[in-house]
Coordinates of all heavy atoms in Angstrom, one line a residue:
D432 N 4.3 2.8 8.4 CA 4.1 1.4 8.8 C 5.3 1.0 9.7 O 6.4 0.9 9.3 CB 4.2 0.5 7.5 CG 4.2 -1.0 7.8 OD1 3.9 -1.4 8.9 OD2 4.5 -1.7 6.8
D433 N 5.0 0.8 11.0 CA 6.0 0.5 11.9 C 6.3 -1.0 12.1 O 7.2 -1.4 12.7 CB 5.6 1.1 13.3 CG 5.5 2.6 13.3 OD1 6.3 3.2 12.6 OD2 4.7 3.1 14.0
T434 N 5.4 -1.8 11.5 CA 5.5 -3.3 11.6 C 6.3 -3.9 10.4 O 7.3 -4.6 10.6 CB 4.2 -3.9 11.7 OG1 3.4 -3.3 12.7 CG2 4.3 -5.4 12.0
G435 N 5.9 -3.6 9.2 CA 6.5 -4.2 8.0 C 6.1 -5.7 7.9 O 5.5 -6.3 8.7
L436 N 6.6 -6.2 6.8 CA 6.4 -7.7 6.4 C 7.7 -8.3 6.0 O 8.5 -7.6 5.2 CB 5.4 -7.8 5.3 CG 3.9 -7.5 5.7 CD1 3.1 -7.6 4.4 CD2 3.4 -8.5 6.7
D437 N 8.0 -9.5 6.4 CA 9.1 -10.3 5.8 C 8.7 -10.9 4.5 O 7.7 -11.7 4.5 CB 9.6 -11.3 6.8 CG 10.2 -10.7 8.1 OD1 10.8 -9.6 7.9 OD2 10.1 -11.3 9.1
L438 N 9.3 -10.6 3.4 CA 8.9 -11.1 2.1 C 10.2 -11.5 1.4 O 11.3 -11.0 1.7 CB 8.1 -10.1 1.3 CG 6.8 -9.7 1.9 CD1 6.3 -8.4 1.3 CD2 5.8 -10.8 1.8
V439 N 10.1 -12.4 0.4 CA 11.3 -12.9 -0.3 C 12.0 -11.8 -1.2 O 13.2 -12.0 -1.4 CB 10.9 -14.1 -1.2 CG1 10.4 -15.3 -0.4 CG2 9.9 -13.7 -2.3
G440 N 11.3 -10.8 -1.6 CA 12.0 -9.8 -2.4 C 11.1 -8.6 -2.7 O 9.9 -8.6 -2.3
I441 N 11.6 -7.7 -3.4 CA 10.9 -6.4 -3.7 C 9.7 -6.7 -4.6 O 8.7 -6.1 -4.5 CB 11.8 -5.4 -4.4 CG1 11.1 -4.0 -4.5 CG2 12.4 -5.8 -5.7 CD1 10.7 -3.4 -3.2
E442 N 9.8 -7.7 -5.5 CA 8.7 -8.0 -6.4 C 7.5 -8.6 -5.5 O 6.4 -8.2 -5.8 CB 9.1 -9.0 -7.4 CG 7.9 -9.2 -8.5 CD 8.4 -10.0 -9.7 OE1 9.1 -11.0 -9.5 OE2 8.0 -9.7 -10.8
A443 N 7.8 -9.4 -4.5 CA 6.7 -9.9 -3.6 C 6.1 -8.7 -2.9 O 4.9 -8.7 -2.6 CB 7.3 -10.9 -2.7
A444 N 6.9 -7.8 -2.4 CA 6.4 -6.6 -1.7 C 5.5 -5.8 -2.6 O 4.4 -5.3 -2.2 CB 7.6 -5.7 -1.2
Y445 N 5.9 -5.6 -3.9 CA 5.1 -4.9 -4.9 C 3.8 -5.6 -5.1 O 2.7 -4.9 -5.0 CB 5.9 -4.8 -6.2 CG 5.1 -4.2 -7.3 CD1 4.8 -2.9 -7.4 CD2 4.5 -5.1 -8.3 CE1 4.1 -2.4 -8.5 CE2 3.8 -4.6 -9.3 CZ 3.5 -3.2 -9.4 OH 2.8 -2.8 -10.5
L446 N 3.8 -6.9 -5.2 CA 2.5 -7.6 -5.5 C 1.6 -7.6 -4.3 O 0.4 -7.4 -4.4 CB 2.8 -9.0 -5.9 CG 3.5 -9.2 -7.3 CD1 3.9 -10.6 -7.5 CD2 2.6 -8.7 -8.4
D447 N 2.2 -7.6 -3.1 CA 1.4 -7.5 -1.8 C 0.7 -6.2 -1.8 O -0.4 -6.1 -1.4 CB 2.3 -7.8 -0.6 CG 1.5 -8.0 0.6 OD1 0.9 -9.1 0.8 OD2 1.5 -7.1 1.5
A448 N 1.5 -5.1 -2.1 CA 0.9 -3.8 -2.1 C -0.2 -3.7 -3.1 O -1.3 -3.1 -2.8 CB 1.9 -2.7 -2.3
C449 N 0.0 -4.2 -4.3 CA -1.0 -4.2 -5.4 C -2.3 -4.9 -5.0 O -3.4 -4.4 -5.4 CB -0.4 -4.8 -6.6 SG 0.9 -3.7 -7.4
R450 N -2.1 -6.0 -4.2 CA -3.3 -6.7 -3.8 C -4.2 -5.9 -2.8 O -5.4 -6.1 -2.8 CB -2.9 -8.1 -3.2 CG -2.6 -9.1 -4.3 CD -2.4 -10.5 -3.6 NE -1.2 -10.6 -2.9 CZ 0.0 -11.0 -3.3 NH1 0.1 -11.3 -4.6 NH2 1.0 -11.0 -2.6
S451 N -3.6 -5.1 -2.0 CA -4.3 -4.3 -1.0 C -4.9 -3.0 -1.5 O -5.9 -2.5 -0.9 CB -3.4 -4.0 0.2 OG -2.4 -3.2 -0.2
I452 N -4.4 -2.5 -2.6 CA -4.9 -1.2 -3.1 C -6.4 -1.2 -3.5 O -7.1 -0.3 -3.1 CB -4.0 -0.7 -4.3 CG1 -2.7 -0.3 -3.7 CG2 -4.7 0.4 -5.1 CD1 -1.6 0.1 -4.8
P453 N -6.9 -2.2 -4.2 CA -8.4 -2.1 -4.6 C -9.3 -2.0 -3.4 O -10.2 -1.1 -3.4 CB -8.6 -3.4 -5.4 CG -7.3 -3.8 -5.9 CD -6.3 -3.4 -4.9
A454 N -9.1 -2.7 -2.4 CA -9.9 -2.7 -1.2 C -9.8 -1.3 -0.5 O -10.8 -0.7 0.0 CB -9.6 -3.8 -0.2
M455 N -8.5 -0.8 -0.4 CA -8.3 0.4 0.2 C -8.9 1.6 -0.6 O -9.5 2.5 0.0 CB -6.8 0.7 0.4 CG -6.2 -0.2 1.5 SD -4.4 0.0 1.7 CE -4.4 1.5 2.6
A456 N -8.8 1.5 -1.9 CA -9.4 2.5 -2.8 C -10.9 2.5 -2.6 O -11.5 3.6 -2.6 CB -9.0 2.3 -4.2
A457 N -11.5 1.3 -2.6 CA -13.0 1.2 -2.4 C -13.4 1.8 -1.1 O -14.4 2.6 -1.0 CB -13.4 -0.2 -2.5
E458 N -12.6 1.6 0.0 CA -12.9 2.2 1.3 C -12.8 3.7 1.3 O -13.7 4.4 1.8 CB -12.0 1.6 2.3 CG -12.3 2.0 3.8 CD -11.3 1.4 4.7 OE1 -11.0 0.2 4.7 OE2 -10.7 2.2 5.6
L459 N -11.8 4.2 0.6 CA -11.7 5.6 0.5 C -12.8 6.3 -0.3 O -13.4 7.3 0.1 CB -10.3 6.0 -0.2 CG -9.1 5.7 0.6 CD1 -7.8 5.8 -0.3 CD2 -9.0 6.7 1.8
L460 N -13.3 5.6 -1.4 CA -14.4 6.1 -2.2 C -15.7 6.1 -1.4 O -16.5 7.0 -1.5 CB -14.6 5.3 -3.4 CG -13.5 5.5 -4.5 CD1 -13.6 4.4 -5.6 CD2 -13.6 6.9 -5.1
Q461 N -15.9 5.1 -0.5 CA -17.1 5.1 0.3 C -17.1 6.3 1.3 O -18.1 6.8 1.6 CB -17.1 3.8 1.1 CG -17.5 2.6 0.3 CD -17.5 1.3 1.1 OE1 -17.0 1.2 2.2 NE2 -18.2 0.3 0.5
R462 N -15.9 6.7 1.7 CA -15.8 7.9 2.6 C -15.7 9.2 1.8 O -15.4 10.3 2.3 CB -14.6 7.8 3.5 CG -14.7 6.6 4.4 CD -13.6 6.5 5.5 NE -12.3 7.2 5.1 CZ -11.1 6.7 5.3 NH1 -11.0 5.5 5.8 NH2 -10.0 7.4 4.9
R463 N -15.9 9.1 0.5 CA -15.9 10.2 -0.5 C -14.5 10.9 -0.5 O -14.4 12.1 -0.5 CB -17.0 11.2 -0.2 CG -18.3 10.6 -0.3 CD -19.4 11.7 -0.3 NE -20.7 11.2 -0.3 CZ -21.3 10.8 -1.5 NH1 -20.7 10.9 -2.6 NH2 -22.6 10.3 -1.4
V464 N -13.4 10.1 -0.4 CA -12.1 10.5 -0.5 C -11.5 10.0 -1.8 O -11.7 8.9 -2.2 CB -11.2 10.0 0.7 CG1 -9.8 10.4 0.6 CG2 -11.8 10.5 2.0
D465 N -10.8 10.9 -2.5 CA -10.2 10.5 -3.8 C -9.0 9.6 -3.6 O -7.9 10.1 -3.1 CB -9.8 11.8 -4.5 CG -9.2 11.6 -5.9 OD1 -9.2 10.4 -6.4 OD2 -8.7 12.5 -6.5
P466 N -9.0 8.4 -4.0 CA -7.9 7.4 -3.8 C -6.7 7.7 -4.8 O -5.6 7.3 -4.6 CB -8.5 6.1 -4.1 CG -9.7 6.3 -5.0 CD -10.2 7.7 -4.6
S467 N -7.0 8.5 -5.8 CA -5.9 8.8 -6.8 C -4.8 9.6 -6.2 O -3.7 9.8 -6.8 CB -6.5 9.5 -8.1 OG -6.9 10.8 -7.8
R468 N -5.0 10.2 -5.0 CA -4.0 11.0 -4.4 C -3.3 10.3 -3.3 O -2.6 10.8 -2.4 CB -4.7 12.3 -3.8 CG -5.3 13.1 -5.0 CD -5.9 14.4 -4.5 NE -4.9 15.2 -3.9 CZ -5.2 16.2 -3.0 NH1 -6.5 16.3 -2.6 NH2 -4.3 16.9 -2.5
H469 N -3.4 8.9 -3.3 CA -2.8 8.1 -2.3 C -1.8 7.1 -3.0 O -1.9 6.9 -4.2 CB -3.9 7.2 -1.6 CG -4.7 8.1 -0.7 ND1 -5.7 8.9 -1.2 CD2 -4.8 8.1 0.6 CE1 -6.3 9.5 -0.2 NE2 -5.8 9.0 0.9
G470 N -0.9 6.6 -2.2 CA 0.0 5.6 -2.7 C 0.8 5.0 -1.6 O 0.8 5.4 -0.5
F471 N 1.6 4.0 -2.0 CA 2.5 3.3 -1.0 C 3.9 3.7 -1.3 O 4.3 3.8 -2.5 CB 2.4 1.8 -1.1 CG 1.2 1.2 -0.4 CD1 0.2 0.5 -1.2 CD2 1.0 1.3 0.9 CE1 -0.9 0.0 -0.6 CE2 -0.1 0.8 1.6 CZ -1.0 0.1 0.8
E472 N 4.7 3.9 -0.3 CA 6.1 4.0 -0.4 C 6.7 2.7 0.3 O 6.5 2.6 1.5 CB 6.7 5.2 0.3 CG 6.3 6.5 -0.4 CD 6.9 7.7 0.3 OE1 7.6 7.6 1.4 OE2 6.6 8.8 -0.2
I473 N 7.3 1.9 -0.4 CA 7.9 0.7 0.1 C 9.3 1.0 0.5 O 10.1 1.4 -0.4 CB 7.8 -0.5 -0.9 CG1 6.3 -0.8 -1.2 CG2 8.4 -1.8 -0.3 CD1 6.1 -1.9 -2.3
T474 N 9.7 0.7 1.7 CA 11.0 1.0 2.2 C 11.7 -0.2 2.8 O 11.0 -1.2 3.1 CB 11.1 2.2 3.2 OG1 10.4 1.7 4.4 CG2 10.4 3.4 2.7
D475 N 13.0 -0.2 2.9 CA 13.7 -1.2 3.6 C 13.8 -0.9 5.1 O 13.3 0.2 5.6 CB 15.1 -1.4 3.0 CG 16.0 -0.2 3.1 OD1 15.7 0.7 3.8 OD2 17.0 -0.2 2.4
R476 N 14.5 -1.7 5.9 CA 14.7 -1.4 7.3 C 15.3 -0.1 7.6 O 14.9 0.6 8.6 CB 15.6 -2.5 8.0 CG 14.9 -3.8 8.2 CD 15.8 -4.7 9.0 NE 15.4 -6.1 8.9 CZ 14.5 -6.6 9.8 NH1 14.1 -5.9 10.7 NH2 14.2 -7.9 9.7
G477 N 16.2 0.4 6.8 CA 16.9 1.6 7.0 C 16.0 2.8 6.6 O 16.5 4.0 6.7
G478 N 14.8 2.6 6.0 CA 14.0 3.7 5.6 C 14.2 4.2 4.2 O 13.6 5.2 3.8
Q479 N 15.1 3.5 3.5 CA 15.3 3.9 2.1 C 14.1 3.5 1.2 O 13.7 2.4 1.3 CB 16.6 3.2 1.5 CG 16.9 3.6 0.1 CD 18.1 2.9 -0.4 OE1 18.9 2.3 0.3 NE2 18.3 3.0 -1.7

């Protein structure tokens, strides 16, 4: 993710990611791809 999002804190970032997972998982399932092998890595500006 080269763009990122400005959010108030890590909990807001976590919740934002959680909100997007169901739709992404559904899209993967429609393409017959196993979503259980996917995930997000949330990093800071420095890549940590």
